[in-house]
Amino acid sequence: MSAMMLVARREITTHLRTKAFVIGLLVTAVIVGALSFAPKLFGGPDSYKLGTVNSQQLPLKAPDTTFEWRTFADRAAATKALLDGDVDAVLVDGSKVLTDGEIDSQLGVLMQSVNREVKLGAAGVQIPPLQVESVGADTRYQAARTGIASVLVVLLFILILGQAMMVAMGVVEEKGSRIVEILLTSVRPWQLLGGKIIGLGALGLVNLVTVLAVGVGASFASGLALDFPPGMPGIVAGVLVWFVLGYAFFATLSAALASLVSRQEEVGNVLTPMTMLIMATYFVAFFASSEPTGTLARVLSLIPPFSSMVMPVRMAASDVPLWEVGLSGLLMVGAVVGVLFIGARVYERAVLRTGARVKLGEVLRAG
């Protein structure tokens, strides 16, 4: 096993054994699972219990909604059932609806319209329903696409920023404690840096795969998956690929900047450029989740490192031409290679220099 893989294995096993990682992963899984059931729990009733007094049952129909009818002998019995919460509404004499308080808006509109149709039909008046034909793009899944894109941008932001910060803290911890000097007697600087990035990136992938697996599984269990647009496997695969690219870019940048300081108190200041860049990427990606076909989203989905979040969000929120995805991916890979080349040089020249903060320009000019 190469030295780089040994370092990566060390990072993985060290963090997997910590209670914080295990507890954090479990808590995240529970939260994601609960959120998948939230629309079902807070989206309003999907069934109604109705009663009749001297009336015929109305042929009520609504998507994903059931209607249960009961017949009452008189108005007094129906009123008691309403007050006890046994029924949501009672149709009396075919002309009046009794409720306990204000009627549910969806139920009220549905009963009014169906009652009108029944009365017109009884009078011999037949009104054919309007035929709805869309001549534009299929927008049936647009709301679901926008919701998925919004969730993905937050997920990518949290994981990429969190894992990049872990890389930075690990670099400073090793440098400040002088452990890095011992490690570099056995491995080369680029191997130590690469192993740390790969190891912590693998942990980030574990988090991401867990969130996606729990989220998709809970969505199928709750019925939310019925609203998913076609091509969900492609969206999930795209998120994984773009996470790897985005993480590799920002983690390398984070490690290079962190190698300039020796104390953890200085990490926040030295990472300010990276933090501002990742925040800008997040805001653009969040905007793209609602305007995926806008000029800003289309342009920045091709420009690294913005593409690491904007492109997967665009792919979730709308149909993106394959050539744009391919070009964006190639440019992002090129950016990752470039930052790896520069970041490795900065890390190698600065990680053994303890004491005062090392200036980036000085490190880059060093031979």
Side-chain angles (χ1 to χ4, degrees), residues 4-361:
M4 184 183 295
M5 290 299 102
L6 285 173
V7 175
R9 180 180 177 182
R10 166 180 166 266
E11 293 290 340
I12 293 173
T13 55
T14 299
H15 287 83
L16 282 178
R17 292 172 181 172
T18 62
K19 292 183 179 180
F21 179 84
V22 176
I23 293 174
L25 190 63
L26 292 176
V27 170
T28 301
V30 171
I31 292 175
V32 171
L35 289 176
S36 300
F37 284 89
K40 187 176 184 67
L41 295 176
F42 301 104
D46 55 5
S47 65
Y48 294 99
K49 295 180 180 180
L50 305 172
T52 60
V53 176
N54 193 28
S55 304
Q56 290 185 344
Q57 298 177 4
L58 296 176
L60 302 178
K61 293 181 180 180
D64 302 321
T65 305
T66 59
F67 300 91
E68 179 182 341
W69 289 90
R70 291 178 55 185
T71 301
F72 296 97
D74 50 37
R75 177 167 175 158
T79 301
K80 184 178 185 304
L82 276 171
L83 297 177
D84 291 341
D86 296 333
V87 290
D88 299 305
V90 178
L91 180 63
V92 180
D93 297 329
S95 60
K96 182 181 296 184
V97 177
L98 302 181
T99 64
D100 182 11
E102 186 175 355
I103 191 172
D104 179 84
S105 58
Q106 176 183 343
L107 177 61
V109 171
L110 186 60
M111 292 185 71
Q112 291 283 7
S113 61
V114 172
N115 180 66
R116 187 180 299 112
E117 292 177 5
V118 170
K119 295 293 178 62
L120 289 173
V125 179
Q126 298 294 331
I127 302 177
L130 294 173
Q131 298 288 328
V132 179
E133 179 181 348
S134 174
V135 295
D138 189 353
T139 59
R140 289 177 296 171
Y141 301 103
Q142 191 55 53
R145 281 180 171 270
T146 301
I148 292 171
S150 299
V151 171
L152 289 180
V153 67
V154 175
L155 180 62
L156 287 172
F157 169 72
I158 292 174
L159 287 178
I160 290 177
L161 179 60
Q163 295 304 118
M165 291 297 294
M166 286 182 65
V167 171
M169 297 303 291
V171 168
V172 176
E173 181 181 358
E174 291 176 352
K175 181 177 179 179
S177 63
R178 313 296 286 267
I179 294 178
V180 68
E181 299 176 9
I182 301 174
L183 293 174
L184 290 181
T185 61
S186 303
V187 298
R188 302 181 66 178
W190 66 269
Q191 292 174 325
L192 180 58
L193 174 62
K196 184 175 292 294
I197 292 175
I198 292 173
L200 294 178
L203 294 176
L205 272 177
V206 170
N207 278 294
L208 180 57
V209 170
T210 299
V211 169
L212 292 176
V214 172
V216 172
S219 296
F220 276 100
S222 66
L224 187 63
L226 295 175
D227 296 325
F228 281 177
M232 276 301 295
I235 293 175
V236 172
V239 170
L240 294 174
V241 171
W242 284 102
F243 166 77
V244 171
L245 293 175
Y247 165 76
F249 181 93
F250 286 108
T252 304
L253 183 59
S254 175
L257 293 174
S259 67
L260 301 175
V261 298
S262 303
R263 298 186 304 167
Q264 294 189 356
E265 294 81 0
E266 300 176 294
V267 173
N269 290 332
V270 77
L271 291 184
T272 297
M274 185 209 73
T275 304
M276 293 178 64
L277 181 59
I278 198 170
M279 287 296 296
T281 303
Y282 166 72
F283 286 127
V284 173
F286 197 82
F287 172 79
S289 65
S290 58
E291 296 289 341
T293 58
T295 302
L296 180 65
R298 294 189 62 185
V299 172
L300 291 185
S301 67
L302 301 176
I303 300 176
F306 296 96
S307 55
S308 63
M309 290 190 199
V310 180
M311 182 53 77
V313 166
R314 279 192 64 204
M315 292 170 61
S318 64
D319 294 324
V320 182
L322 288 178
W323 72 266
E324 290 189 19
V325 178
L327 176 60
S328 179
L330 288 175
L331 292 175
M332 189 64 199
V333 169
V336 170
V337 173
V339 77
L340 280 171
F341 178 77
I342 298 174
R345 292 170 68 90
V346 172
Y347 178 84
E348 181 177 1
R349 296 172 181 178
V351 74
L352 292 177
R353 299 172 63 174
T354 58
R357 174 176 172 177
V358 183
K359 294 182 179 180
L360 180 60

